[in-house]
Amino acid sequence: GPHSRGAALRECAARLPRTASGAPGTRDGSFTNPGTDSGMRILFVADVNGPPGVRAVEQRLPSLREELALDFVVVNGENAADGLGLTPKIADKLLAAGADVITLGNHTWRRKEINPYLSGSERVIRPANLAPSAPGRGSKASRARPRVKPFGGR
């Protein structure tokens, strides 16, 4: 419909500040942090919900990465499996579409098949405020990428 996830992503991209040439950026043409000489373009896709949300990410994220020259993409996938949880198959689809990391929240454990996947994945991140003994990682960082540390709540 007119308010599909793909349409929502396009509307979000259309609201980005533009340079004089029309490219995404701030009025001075940069995405830099104060006091730095370089910037990073990050997209956070919030609450991918069920098959329509997964399809929207698969269809739009590859072109958005290129169009917006994105450096890093975070996708919240805690509701991607029919509105509750995430499965390994869906996680693989979101990562293949261009997500750098997938964050989870309070529905992390709704799909038991995700537990072994979390233990072996560096790119699917459970809430950081869970017990250290919980499967998976509570944050992800590397020298070239920002630290991602999701927190779950109710």
Side-chain angles (χ1 to χ4, degrees):
H3 290 58
S4 69
R5 296 264 183 199
L9 289 172
R10 282 190 299 281
E11 288 174 24
C12 181
R15 286 192 296 260
L16 287 173
R18 300 288 169 165
T19 64
S21 68
T26 60
R27 286 191 171 86
D28 69 358
S30 70
F31 273 92
T32 60
N33 293 325
T36 67
D37 60 359
S38 65
M40 178 175 269
R41 293 179 181 192
I42 299 171
L43 174 67
F44 182 82
V45 181
D47 207 4
V48 173
N49 198 310
V54 173
R55 276 193 307 277
V57 170
E58 288 178 304
Q59 291 169 1
R60 287 294 294 145
L61 186 53
S63 61
L64 279 174
R65 275 199 85 112
E66 185 176 326
E67 179 184 329
L68 301 176
L70 298 169
D71 296 304
F72 196 75
V73 176
V74 178
V75 172
N76 179 271
E78 75 165 311
N79 291 313
D82 297 321
L84 289 172
L86 180 71
T87 66
K89 182 178 178 181
I90 294 171
D92 288 342
K93 285 181 177 187
L94 296 173
L95 293 169
D100 289 298
V101 296
I102 300 170
T103 59
L104 300 172
N106 63 325
H107 295 152
T108 298
W109 314 119
R110 295 292 215 158
R111 305 291 176 141
K112 297 301 178 195
E113 63 266 38
I114 200 66
N115 291 0
Y117 189 91
L118 283 176
S119 295
S121 177
E122 293 186 5
R123 297 175 62 199
V124 179
I125 306 168
R126 60 153 171 85
N129 56 333
L130 296 180
S133 60
R137 297 172 187 269
S139 68
K140 168 71 176 156
S142 71
R143 288 180 51 194
R145 303 286 188 216
R147 175 171 292 280
V148 177
K149 193 170 191 171
F151 290 88
R154 293 183 186 253

